[in-house]
Amino acid sequence: MSHSALLIAKDATIGLRLNMNGNRNSVKAFLKYAEYAQLPSINADDKWISPFITMLQNFFRDNNDAIRLETVDPQHLGDKTDYDNGIYVLEDYEIVDRINSPADTSPEHRIHDRLLSIDSTQPLVNQLGDFLFGMDTPITSIKIGDQVFLPRLFPSYEYPGRYRIHTVLGFADNDPFNPLTSNKRFKGRPYVDMFNNQDNAVNPQSYITTDTVRVLSYPIYVISFAPANDLHGAGGFDWLPATTMNDGTEALDTFYRHVKDSRDEGGSHIVRLLRITDPNITADMQPKDVTDYIDADIDRWESKEHALKQFVPPNADADRVPTGGADEHITHPYR
């Protein structure tokens, strides 16, 4: 099957034809990346098209056949049937309708790896970088010392990326010498080390005014292998960082190695692959401390957390089947 699709804003007359990566998972990743990169919101005024094309051209490495503009009649979108994946009608950064789409049987996937792929092809000055590994956190949970991602005030080749990492310094509490503490917009809000040459507490640009903010975190992969029944011995786990595409490849190799071991031993273990972000796991922790933290709460990883992949042998006792579910259940013979 080919991979063409049309992306068009709701009620617009100009759309983008993709001749590659027109499947649902790819389109959702493109939209999420545009949102994270703060590209113009997608609507009928078409201001979103040029920056969106630039992002796609970088991803397709300037393949001139990958994208083209098309004019359409928004009242007769159903008449256009020459797209393998149909027409995606967009509003803001969401798919609000899909027209003439095929029966899409491809499974929904977490899009993190796709976002990493898109980001790696963008100019360094505009990449999202570690932002993609951050954890969205309510402002009410932020504390002094947290490191957070905030949009850059201006581009810099010395400090590339669309976001900067800042440290939370304090909150706008009652202070008669600081008018911001009585301002409804800033009262109780955290402020960060936005500037080095002034008091950030009195500068509105230093405050976080959104309801959530992305906090710097240290994502990891956990590969757990728990006994499938009482006939087999103890289980265990492996873990490794989840900060590069190579880490993902290594995690998959480790997962399938344990699946093979389980099959070779007659279905001895339930094997799960998880990608987790936990505020208690930080980049400055010693590996032994990370291992101890996971081990202390191993039941969560073995059963309750949602997994990327999992293998449950047919002979597993019912009470040992994970309750958290998984994106993909491995049932095919190991290969």
Side-chain angles (χ1 to χ4, degrees):
M1 181 178 182
S2 298
H3 303 287
S4 63
L6 182 70
L7 311 185
I8 186 167
K10 185 178 179 181
D11 299 325
T13 58
I14 299 177
L16 292 183
R17 179 189 177 104
L18 300 183
N19 290 317
M20 303 168 62
N21 293 81
N23 60 79
R24 176 187 58 201
N25 289 324
S26 292
V27 171
K28 289 177 68 174
F30 293 143
L31 295 174
K32 179 56 69 175
Y33 191 88
E35 180 181 3
Y36 283 160
Q38 298 184 316
L39 300 187
S41 182
I42 299 173
N43 54 55
D45 68 9
D46 296 331
K47 292 180 180 178
W48 66 279
I49 290 180
S50 180
F52 202 89
I53 287 178
T54 299
M55 180 261 291
L56 291 177
Q57 283 180 323
N58 290 331
F59 176 71
F60 292 127
R61 303 189 185 278
D62 293 322
N63 182 338
N64 293 328
D65 296 325
I67 320 162
R68 74 166 183 251
L69 290 174
E70 289 193 1
T71 57
V72 297
D73 181 348
Q75 303 302 317
H76 296 90
L77 291 178
D79 296 340
K80 299 183 73 63
T81 59
D82 54 340
Y83 309 105
D84 303 308
N85 288 277
I87 299 171
Y88 296 89
V89 181
L90 313 176
E91 189 169 20
D92 292 328
Y93 307 100
E94 301 291 334
I95 300 169
V96 295
D97 196 8
R98 195 171 174 191
I99 300 170
N100 294 334
S101 63
D104 196 339
T105 58
S106 60
E108 288 278 357
H109 291 296
R110 296 188 180 187
I111 64 173
H112 187 264
D113 286 346
R114 294 174 187 265
L115 293 174
L116 290 177
S117 296
I118 298 169
D119 197 51
S120 68
T121 61
Q122 306 305 308
L124 190 61
V125 70
N126 285 332
Q127 288 183 5
L128 300 180
D130 287 342
F131 174 88
L132 291 174
F133 299 102
M135 183 167 57
D136 291 327
T137 305
I139 289 299
T140 53
S141 299
I142 295 298
K143 59 186 182 298
I144 292 175
D146 281 347
Q147 291 186 295
V148 299
F149 292 94
L150 295 177
R152 67 190 181 196
L153 295 181
F154 49 84
S156 168
Y157 285 94
E158 182 179 1
Y159 303 103
R162 290 184 179 272
Y163 290 86
R164 302 284 183 266
I165 299 173
H166 294 282
T167 301
V168 175
L169 300 178
F171 296 81
D173 297 321
N174 294 325
D175 182 351
F177 300 102
N178 183 357
L180 295 182
T181 63
S182 59
N183 185 302
K184 184 177 180 180
R185 184 184 179 199
F186 301 104
K187 186 176 178 61
R189 293 277 180 172
Y191 63 89
V192 303
D193 58 344
M194 183 66 69
F195 304 100
N196 296 325
N197 58 353
Q198 57 184 272
D199 183 359
N200 286 282
V202 298
N203 190 322
Q205 289 184 302
S206 300
Y207 280 82
I208 303 172
T209 57
T210 53
D211 292 333
T212 62
V213 68
R214 183 157 283 212
V215 176
L216 181 65
S217 63
Y218 182 61
I220 64 172
Y221 288 109
V222 173
I223 302 94
S224 69
F225 41 99
N229 49 51
D230 292 334
L231 300 178
H232 298 93
F237 64 88
D238 294 316
W239 72 269
L240 63 152
T243 55
T244 70
M245 294 292 286
N246 288 336
D247 292 336
T249 300
E250 185 177 349
L252 281 174
D253 289 344
T254 304
F255 170 78
Y256 281 114
R257 174 168 54 82
H258 285 298
V259 170
K260 182 179 185 302
D261 290 344
S262 177
R263 288 187 183 279
D264 289 347
E265 296 172 10
S268 60
H269 288 78
I270 296 168
V271 187
R272 312 188 82 218
L273 169 63
L274 304 95
R275 183 185 180 281
I276 63 172
T277 302
D278 189 302
N280 295 305
I281 299 176
T282 58
D284 59 354
M285 289 177 69
Q286 295 297 316
K288 181 181 181 302
D289 295 331
V290 177
T291 300
D292 290 344
Y293 178 77
I294 298 171
D295 190 45
D297 200 14
I298 189 60
D299 179 63
R300 178 153 55 120
W301 319 121
E302 288 182 341
S303 178
K304 298 176 184 178
E305 289 288 330
H306 190 80
L308 298 176
K309 297 177 184 289
Q310 75 177 17
F311 167 69
V312 179
N315 57 308
D317 290 346
D319 61 350
R320 298 186 183 230
V321 175
T323 59
D327 286 350
E328 183 179 357
H329 298 268
I330 306 302
T331 57
H332 57 72
Y334 179 80
R335 57 182 183 273

